[in-house]
Amino acid sequence: MEIYLDVLVLENIVMNYLILLMTAKFSKNKTSHLRLFLAAFVGAIYVAFLVVYPSLDVYYTTITKIAISFAIVAIAFSFQRFTAFFKTMVMFYISTFIFAGAGFAFLYFNHSGGFIRDGFFYVYWNSKWTVMVLCVATVGIIVKIFWEIIQSRLVKDRLLLPLKIAFENGIINLSALVDTGNALFDPLTHSPVIVVEFNAIKSILPEEIQNIFEESKEDDLVRVTKIVSNSRWFSRFRIIPFTSLGKENGILIGFKPDYIEIGDKNERKGVTDVIVGIYNKALSKGENYNALLSPDLV
């Protein structure tokens, strides 16, 4: 059987990258596409090395494979605590098992598709890309189903959370609802948007922005744009379109805070890559909460 080294490296880079991308989604560990690619490349080179030098049995051992997986995760992600690294490693193995299970299933149902040797899949050329495409499609469906289950369980267990917003010299403490319907993103930076009541956050806003909401002129796009563009906080503010909250084709005035903190003192999470959208009505009739959080931020 002929093995094309360049094709082997390419397909392993693609699969490793997708596994790491899934790991990032599950662990909510932020990284860059470059780091994911470099980590995927390291994994692909390891497989290619084993194909070129099959006699080096030491590199087939479980310890070596675990060490390589540790290196791949360390390259792909940044860590400040060992617990975060351990959590990401667990997610990495779960993602790997999902992809491997999907690949094995297609090999099982298609006996001419390939074989497994020394812990690696070898797929014949005439069915290689078919198996890869079907594998990725299957994994996508599995991940979507399990992600929705995880998110629904998360919302059920942690429905209301303390929220702290820091902006300039002001800090506001709020109660936020984890809202699965909040899928707002800033169109400029693609950062998730937290929807907050104006009255709850009024004290830390610039005076000219307060005037817009007190006069109920937040839907006047021309006026809003003019006021925001002339403000010294111009670089911090955003105009965010939305089609929720009982209104279609609406806009939210948003701003980039210095940082936010989600959760109590026992489990607190800090976030800087986020936008706060200001809503000029009450979000809760019973005043149980005054902000809406996206599940992606929890």
Side-chain angles (χ1 to χ4, degrees), residues 30-82:
K30 293 187 178 180
T31 183
S32 66
H33 292 291
L34 177 60
R35 295 191 66 165
L36 294 181
F37 173 79
L38 290 176
F41 181 75
V42 169
I45 292 300
Y46 167 68
V47 174
F49 180 82
L50 294 182
V51 172
V52 175
Y53 301 102
S55 60
L56 299 178
D57 295 337
V58 65
Y59 292 101
Y60 286 92
T61 64
T62 301
I63 294 177
T64 301
K65 291 179 180 179
I66 292 176
I68 292 296
S69 64
F70 273 44
I72 290 173
V73 171
I75 293 171
F77 304 100
S78 298
F79 305 97
Q80 296 180 347
R81 296 177 299 174
F82 176 77

Side-chain angles (χ1 to χ4, degrees), residues 217-235:
K217 298 296 184 181
E218 65 272 11
D219 291 332
D220 188 342
L221 185 58
V222 175
R223 181 174 179 180
V224 168
T225 303
K226 182 178 179 180
I227 293 176
V228 171
S229 62
N230 293 328
S231 171
R232 66 186 182 91
W233 288 276
F234 171 70
S235 61

